[in-house]
Amino acid sequence: MATMNDTHLRRLSQLLQHYQTGVAYSLSIDTLETVLATSRRNTSLILKQLADLGWVRWHPAVGRSKTSQLVVSLTFSAALTQVVRQELSKGRFTLITRLLALYGDDTVLALAGATAQQNQWNESNNHLLITRYPAVDTLDPLKTLRLAELQVIKSVYDTLLNQDAVGNLIPALAHFWKLDDRWLTLWLRPDVLAHNGQKLVADDVVWSLERLKHTAGPVQHLFDSMRAVRAESEHRIVIELNAPNAFFPYVLAMANSAILCRPEPHCVQPRKCVGTGPFSVGNWDEEKLTLIRHQHYYASKALIEQITLSHGDEQVIRAMSFNQKTGATESSVISALSYLTFNARESSDVDAHTLAQLYAFLAQEKYHVDAHNCVENLAFECPHDKDEHSIANHVVPKLTGTIVLAEPVWTIPYLQAVADWLHAAIQRTGLIVKVIELKAISEPQSVAHLADLMLIEEVVEQPKAYGLYEWLLVSTGLRFTFSHAEMAQHKQALAQAVSDTNPYARLQQLEQQLYDQRRCLPLFVGREEITCTQQVQGIQVNSTGYSDFFKLWMGD
């Protein structure tokens, strides 16, 4: 069927003002020119297009004295539903937004019918449309720390190792590995096919790891401990470390350590790199990203044939939500941490003493607002012997000046609630709060000269010893507050810590120093509300959580 648009709807509406549906009319072309208010040639073109869509039956006149035969085949609401259904099937919402503005409630009703039809078709054909997914700007693992992008990266690429539910390392692309002092040897599976049909070999892994080590990005520090990597055979690689580091194998299980296949010679690095994951990248534009099941995946195949991640217009989402039943939700704790980082900058309107007073106040105030979910460190420890009386009656300091707070746009409701609490708590001290958007979460240095504070939430990887190591190396907050010289000194201290006989204890000391220096303030453990559904629906309108994202289409 030809592509339908709002122009076709407007022309059908003009015809319906003069002719009833299902009734045959004998008309001169001159009459139709007047009805459509256009030229003879354009009238013929319009009627042919409407006939191709099946909206009218039209037999043009043969000869000057003959009349044309016209039957309008369907109502305007039926045509409107067809157009909306077409756009939903493509994961597009720009035209639907325009139709909402043009036809109001008629479009809302059409959207309800089209959503029900498309939902049934999606379920029958193992397709999934998620309508509220944040825009994906990059799928390059070394360029992002955004959770929305890393979730897609996990589906497009594989890592050398994986982790089970309790954080233990398990095989992935590498079916066996051995760490001996400074040398990590990995044996690759021989049966892995990339999305382009080529077999994955050791040279692909070497190229991908060297790219992670030598390309500037938010996770580059994690690969500083890697001195060299080489292929010893088609399916065996050896990684040489600068010093013994028991945490390094866990680095290889991160989504950021995903393995990409080498590009063709003389090929500019493509936007859609070739991976081996359960899904390949299909259509990717400003409105949506489509993932297509990899039929030759080496492990368990994906449950769903095609997934469309659309960042639809909020007006459309509201209209769709209105016509859908809201399922029961359950709230669960996830291994994520919201925290504040303090940044004493030269051009600030507040001095170091004011920041110290604010730090002490917020460290107590967080217990006043949500004592059950407060944490004191990255081990998610919360002291149970806090004096409730002192918490409830702690003194609010009297502060003056304007404090600049950087934070991303929050897409998860409970994080927006944390931000709202923080703004109000700071304003209680008398400080004026100016909020600026952190647009590039992977580049917090971009706002370091503008902001005094940064509010962020990050997943803390398991096991907890490795999670602390990773956070101390690449966390967004520390890269916001540390200068180049401070980061270099910090990395040196980390290298010494992981070589210690008790590395976790040394890492905890470094963490505590950040709190003693009032540079970082842990706030709350992460939470997520997930809609409880018995099966994956064909269209998910209000999916705002990420923790079950991969399981949604891969199964347990």
Side-chain angles (χ1 to χ4, degrees), residues 371-518:
H372 293 294
N373 291 293
C374 289
V375 292
E376 287 289 307
N377 50 44
L378 268 77
F380 297 102
E381 295 174 345
C382 180
H384 298 289
D385 57 351
K386 279 280 184 180
D387 186 336
E388 294 184 4
H389 178 77
S390 64
I391 291 173
N393 296 281
H394 71 283
V395 177
V396 180
K398 302 299 182 184
L399 308 176
T400 59
T402 298
I403 197 157
V404 183
L405 169 65
E407 60 185 51
V409 173
W410 304 111
T411 58
I412 298 178
Y414 93 88
L415 287 176
Q416 183 61 60
V418 169
D420 293 342
W421 160 76
L422 179 63
H423 302 167
I426 296 174
Q427 288 169 344
R428 286 178 59 203
T429 68
L431 287 169
I432 298 171
V433 179
K434 178 183 178 183
V435 179
I436 63 173
E437 181 185 347
L438 174 60
K439 295 181 179 179
I441 293 179
S442 300
E443 300 176 9
Q445 307 91 327
S446 62
V447 296
H449 64 293
L450 300 172
D452 307 295
L453 303 175
M454 175 177 287
L455 175 64
I456 200 76
E457 185 191 60
E458 291 176 328
V459 172
V460 180
E461 299 291 344
Q462 298 300 313
K464 61 183 181 181
Y466 170 72
L468 177 56
Y469 168 71
E470 181 193 299
W471 185 85
L472 287 170
L473 260 181
V474 299
S475 64
T476 300
L478 297 190
R479 288 184 296 118
F480 162 72
T481 188
F482 280 156
S483 65
H484 289 298
E486 288 173 327
M487 179 57 81
Q489 185 178 6
H490 178 67
K491 283 169 55 183
Q492 186 177 5
L494 280 173
Q496 294 173 352
V498 296
S499 299
D500 193 82
T501 54
N502 189 351
Y504 185 42
R506 289 286 302 277
L507 292 174
Q508 288 178 306
Q509 291 174 5
L510 293 176
E511 178 191 9
Q512 187 59 45
Q513 287 177 16
L514 296 171
Y515 309 147
D516 294 342
Q517 296 166 1
R518 296 188 176 89

Side-chain angles (χ1 to χ4, degrees), residues 8 12 23 49 113 138 173 278 315 320 330 333 339 362 374 393 397 406 454 490:
H8 296 135
L12 179 65
V23 178
Q49 290 175 342
T138 180
L173 291 178
Q315 184 182 5
M320 294 180 73
E330 61 180 20
V333 172
Y339 65 96
L362 294 175
C374 289
N393 296 281
M454 175 177 287
H490 178 67

Side-chain angles (χ1 to χ4, degrees), residues 85-299:
R85 168 102 189 264
Q86 168 193 267
E87 297 303 290
L88 282 179
S89 70
K90 304 295 184 183
R92 301 185 305 220
F93 292 91
T94 301
L95 177 56
I96 299 177
T97 302
R98 196 155 64 239
L99 296 177
L100 282 167
L102 288 171
Y103 303 115
D105 290 343
D106 289 340
T107 305
V108 174
L109 291 173
L111 189 56
T115 299
Q117 294 171 17
Q118 189 61 36
N119 188 69
Q120 185 176 14
W121 187 94
N122 282 356
E123 289 184 4
S124 300
N125 291 272
N126 289 324
H127 283 218
L128 173 66
L129 169 64
I130 296 180
T131 63
R132 210 173 192 174
Y133 203 79
V136 175
D137 299 320
T138 180
L139 289 180
D140 191 333
L142 62 78
K143 292 183 179 179
T144 184
L145 286 176
R146 287 184 63 212
L147 193 53
E149 291 169 341
L150 289 175
Q151 291 287 358
V152 181
I153 284 170
K154 285 168 59 179
S155 297
V156 175
Y157 311 107
D158 288 304
T159 50
L160 289 166
L161 303 174
N162 274 335
Q163 288 180 284
D164 62 17
V166 294
N168 297 319
L169 291 175
I170 56 176
L173 291 178
H175 65 87
F176 186 75
W177 66 98
K178 181 177 68 175
L179 180 61
D180 184 8
D181 193 51
R182 294 192 299 112
W183 285 270
L184 174 62
T185 305
L186 302 106
W187 285 263
L188 303 179
R189 298 178 60 104
D191 57 344
V192 178
L193 288 179
H195 299 148
N196 60 6
Q198 301 297 313
K199 280 195 172 184
L200 181 76
V201 295
D203 286 339
D204 291 312
V205 176
V206 171
W207 175 83
S208 195
L209 292 178
E210 286 185 336
R211 183 170 176 267
L212 285 164
K213 176 177 174 59
H214 297 296
T215 307
V219 296
Q220 187 181 21
H221 293 319
L222 284 171
F223 295 87
D224 287 343
S225 60
M226 187 173 70
R227 174 174 292 179
V229 55
R230 64 181 182 274
E232 291 202 333
S233 71
E234 193 175 66
H235 296 108
R236 186 171 78 246
I237 67 166
V238 175
I239 299 173
E240 181 184 357
L241 304 176
N242 292 317
N245 185 347
F247 296 121
F248 189 78
Y250 291 94
V251 173
L252 301 181
M254 289 176 53
N256 292 103
S257 301
I259 299 302
L260 281 58
C261 297
R262 291 165 296 169
E264 296 293 328
H266 312 297
C267 176
V268 178
Q269 185 67 31
R271 186 185 189 207
K272 298 188 292 186
C273 299
V274 175
T276 62
F279 285 89
S280 62
V281 178
N283 190 29
W284 185 9
D285 55 38
E286 293 182 355
E287 284 195 82
K288 66 187 178 304
L289 170 65
T290 302
L291 301 176
I292 301 169
R293 178 163 60 184
H294 180 21
Q295 300 294 352
H296 302 290
Y297 189 52
Y298 75 90

